[in-house]
Amino acid sequence: MRYDTIIIGSGIAGLYAAINIPKTQKVLLINKRESFKCNSFYAQGGIALSKDEEDIALHIKDTKDAGAGLCDDEAVDILTKYSKEAINDLINRGFEFDKNDDGELAYTKEAAHSTSRILHAGGDATGRYMHHFLLSQNPHPMLGDTRVVDLLIKDGECYGVTVLEHRELRNIYAKNVIIASGGVGSLYEYHTNAPTISADMQGLCILKGIELENMEMMQFHPTVYVNNSYAQKLLLTEALRGEGATIEDEEGRRFLFDYDERGELASRDIVSKSIFDYSQKTGSKIYLNMGNFEYQFFIKRFPNIFNTLKNLGFNAPAQRIPISPAFHYAIGGIKTDSKGLVPNVKNLYAIGEVASTRVHGANRLASNSLLEGLVFALRTVNDILSKKDDSKNKIFLEFEVLDEVMSLKTDKVKKNELREIMWKNVSIVRSKKGLNGALSQVNVILKGNIGKLLKFRLLTAREIILAALARRESVGVHTIIEE
Ligand code: SIN
């Protein structure tokens, strides 16, 4: 069977692309595990939009200010201009965002937004609700527990993928391939990402000579509870601070004002860096204080955070919660144009967190990522659907299935070693010495006997380190010190 389009990953970007391709087309979504094991599912805060014509200019300014001068003008224009259309499309399809007591859409605010322009659903479960809704709208088949381990590319054209399914390798052919597989969370010891998010497609692109860009731009979320026993740490949404929660030291002092006059509402890069610096200098533990919230309101507005914290033994919102920054979002990724096309590889697209559209610059504005997923997914689909179908006259290539070793028993220890290397040396504040040390360590593991899946992670980690070494000045999420 040859498909019209293969979509790798079914987070918000992948699913929104799928539901915009008519059922008459042969589309296949491929998931590494269950479809909900994606980053979109865990998005709490919401989805930003430019509420009206006037807000477009303001939303552009906020996005670019947060992006510290490195946002691409065209990409930001596209994101904001088409934001309302994307949200209205969801609403018209039947999706319900939270409403206020007057039955109007309830907008919240998050750090570095100059106005309340973020919609949410299920209180603090926006990603989960959107994901579930899009899944229910998807008319196309899905292949679960299946990993894409190769891209079938010849002479600058993509013909499909090789998958690993129940330990068997096989090729699946398609006229178009959309990569929507998410970020790189599992490269770091502390992260908020779904457990499946492990930089596979980024690493595969490196192997295939496909360009990644801005890989030094890795975003750390400032308010994460990291003392749980899972690799995925507990995100405490920025909407908490947007609605009044504060960050304080052991003595209850709101030290963030020492760093930025906006305090808790400074952009995410500044808050994370300030927490890191303050705790290094003072040795103080850092806390999120949610005492501003009335108990019943908190339960209704943040039900999942309330329950998760309760299960961990915390009495929220009265009790303050120990927090740390943790890895959250890959700004850099597979280089694409404004329609999601990967340059130099015909019929290959990337959308969502795995892609670099340059919309986020050096620091992503909160809640712009679900929006990016929707807006750029639709552009990709429009590009695919507008192409002239030349398949009748075309010779399709068949590729040999390469028999490669995917994983070895010893890889697990090396994966954990990599997480520690990345957290210690390639996180919030980087030094040249630390980066060079990390590079040597990663190269040593890469030269050893390893499976292809671990190789993907290592190649991506190496790309992040090399990009961090190449950018000599600190900007946005990338802070580098001479040492
Ligand atoms: C959050 O809810 O704080 C995360 C939102 C985002 O990453 O944009």
Side-chain angles (χ1 to χ4, degrees):
M1 154 96 88
R2 192 179 300 281
Y3 288 90
D4 290 305
T5 301
I6 285 173
I7 302 175
I8 307 166
S10 55
I12 294 299
L15 283 175
Y16 196 60
I19 70 169
N20 278 288
I21 305 179
K23 200 171 182 283
T24 47
Q25 298 236 340
K26 286 197 198 85
V27 175
L28 180 68
L29 289 108
I30 303 178
N31 292 316
K32 204 163 146 181
R33 298 227 195 108
E34 300 93 328
S35 71
F36 69 85
K37 289 199 170 142
C38 60
N39 277 350
S40 305
F41 186 85
Y42 295 97
Q44 294 177 350
I47 179 161
L49 80 153
S50 307
K51 293 193 287 185
D52 47 39
E53 277 300 313
E54 208 180 309
D55 193 32
I56 290 181
L58 213 54
H59 191 184
I60 290 176
K61 183 175 177 333
D62 290 346
T63 300
K64 287 187 183 171
D65 285 352
L70 292 191
C71 296
D72 179 83
D73 290 347
E74 188 200 356
V76 179
D77 284 350
I78 291 170
L79 181 83
T80 50
K81 191 169 158 209
Y82 294 106
S83 62
K84 196 153 184 192
E85 213 171 293
I87 298 292
N88 282 342
D89 179 49
L90 285 187
I91 294 172
N92 292 336
R93 286 173 187 267
F95 184 70
E96 290 186 24
F97 287 104
D98 292 339
K99 302 224 170 82
N100 62 23
D101 292 342
D102 298 326
E104 293 156 347
L105 288 173
Y107 291 96
T108 188
K109 192 172 172 178
E110 293 183 23
H113 283 271
S114 53
T115 180
S116 296
R117 64 161 75 87
I118 295 161
L119 290 173
H120 47 87
D124 54 2
T126 312
R128 187 181 308 183
Y129 275 52
M130 279 177 67
H131 187 262
H132 185 263
F133 177 77
L134 294 178
L135 211 51
S136 72
Q137 301 264 308
N138 172 42
H140 304 293
M142 269 190 186
L143 200 54
D145 284 320
T146 304
R147 302 176 79 123
V148 170
V149 294
D150 210 349
L151 291 167
L152 306 175
I153 297 175
K154 186 141 199 305
D155 299 330
E157 188 159 353
C158 185
Y159 292 86
V161 300
T162 305
V163 295
L164 177 67
E165 187 189 15
H166 308 305
R167 297 173 188 236
E168 296 275 323
L169 292 167
R170 68 176 170 111
N171 289 342
I172 309 180
Y173 296 94
K175 292 180 202 157
N176 301 287
V177 173
I178 303 176
I179 306 174
S181 55
V184 306
S186 296
L187 296 185
Y188 284 94
E189 191 172 358
Y190 297 111
H191 67 80
T192 61
N193 290 191
T196 47
I197 302 297
S198 54
D200 299 354
M201 296 309 296
Q202 290 86 339
L204 175 54
C205 282
I206 296 167
L207 266 182
K208 305 303 277 187
I210 293 170
E211 191 179 347
L212 306 188
E213 65 175 9
N214 297 331
M215 289 303 281
E216 70 281 26
M217 300 304 175
M218 295 291 135
Q219 186 173 63
F220 292 79
H221 197 290
T223 53
V224 182
Y225 178 73
V226 296
N227 299 335
N228 60 348
S229 52
Y230 302 109
Q232 180 182 7
K233 303 303 175 192
L234 171 63
L235 178 70
L236 297 165
T237 175
E238 203 145 298
L240 289 160
R241 275 175 290 133
E243 296 182 31
T246 54
I247 291 176
E248 60 189 36
D249 67 9
E250 282 167 15
E251 258 65 68
R253 195 171 90 79
R254 288 173 65 186
F255 61 92
L256 286 175
F257 290 95
D258 301 352
Y259 294 89
D260 190 291
E261 61 184 14
R262 292 168 293 177
E264 284 84 0
L265 296 182
S267 58
R268 202 174 273 182
D269 54 333
I270 294 172
V271 178
S272 290
K273 235 178 295 176
S274 306
I275 293 175
F276 179 85
D277 183 68
Y278 190 79
S279 51
Q280 291 267 309
K281 278 188 186 142
T282 62
S284 173
K285 288 203 174 79
I286 311 297
Y287 294 89
L288 184 69
N289 186 331
M290 303 177 291
N292 61 302
F293 291 107
E294 191 269 319
Y295 184 72
Q296 288 303 337
F297 173 84
F298 188 82
I299 294 178
K300 186 159 176 252
R301 175 70 183 88
F302 301 106
N304 295 290
I305 292 179
F306 173 80
N307 281 322
T308 315
L309 287 175
K310 193 170 164 202
N311 291 338
L312 286 164
F314 289 103
N315 175 24
Q319 192 180 357
R320 62 185 193 170
I321 311 297
I323 51 159
S324 158
F327 173 79
H328 184 57
Y329 184 85
I331 293 170
I334 303 167
K335 184 174 177 172
T336 61
D337 72 7
S338 67
K339 291 176 182 154
L341 250 176
V342 175
N344 307 322
V345 188
K346 214 171 147 201
N347 305 330
L348 181 64
Y349 297 82
I351 50 174
E353 189 175 349
V354 77
S356 170
T357 53
R358 296 165 296 288
V359 78
H360 307 303
N363 175 52
R364 177 174 64 84
L365 183 67
S367 288
N368 263 353
S369 51
L370 292 179
L371 179 63
E372 183 200 1
L374 297 182
V375 169
F376 285 86
L378 187 59
R379 292 176 69 78
T380 289
V381 169
N382 287 341
D383 192 64
I384 288 174
L385 297 181
S386 69
K387 284 196 288 193
K388 206 169 123 254
D389 188 356
D390 59 355
S391 51
K392 284 206 184 78
N393 310 320
K394 194 166 153 182
I395 298 164
F396 282 99
L397 299 181
E398 294 285 332
F399 288 69
E400 194 189 334
V401 180
L402 298 177
D403 192 14
E404 296 169 287
V405 176
M406 290 297 148
S407 52
L408 297 170
K409 272 209 173 110
T410 43
D411 287 352
K412 192 159 182 218
V413 177
K414 295 174 186 173
K415 269 185 216 167
N416 289 335
E417 205 183 316
L418 177 64
R419 284 190 233 269
E420 280 174 36
I421 295 169
M422 293 298 284
W423 180 252
K424 207 162 143 222
N425 304 294
V426 200
S427 57
I428 302 165
V429 175
R430 297 131 182 210
S431 71
K432 268 197 210 156
K433 193 170 153 208
L435 289 170
N436 278 315
L439 184 60
S440 311
Q441 287 175 284
V442 167
N443 280 334
V444 168
I445 310 176
L446 260 171
K447 280 198 195 112
N449 191 18
I450 54 170
K452 190 173 186 182
L453 301 180
L454 176 57
K455 193 171 189 178
F456 291 156
R457 290 185 190 218
L458 288 159
L459 288 174
T460 309
R462 188 168 71 179
E463 195 76 8
I464 296 171
I465 299 168
L466 290 171
L469 279 165
R471 191 178 290 277
R472 288 155 185 266
E473 80 290 1
S474 296
V475 57
V477 295
H478 173 64
T479 300
I480 184 151
I481 52 173
E482 283 293 328
E483 212 180 77

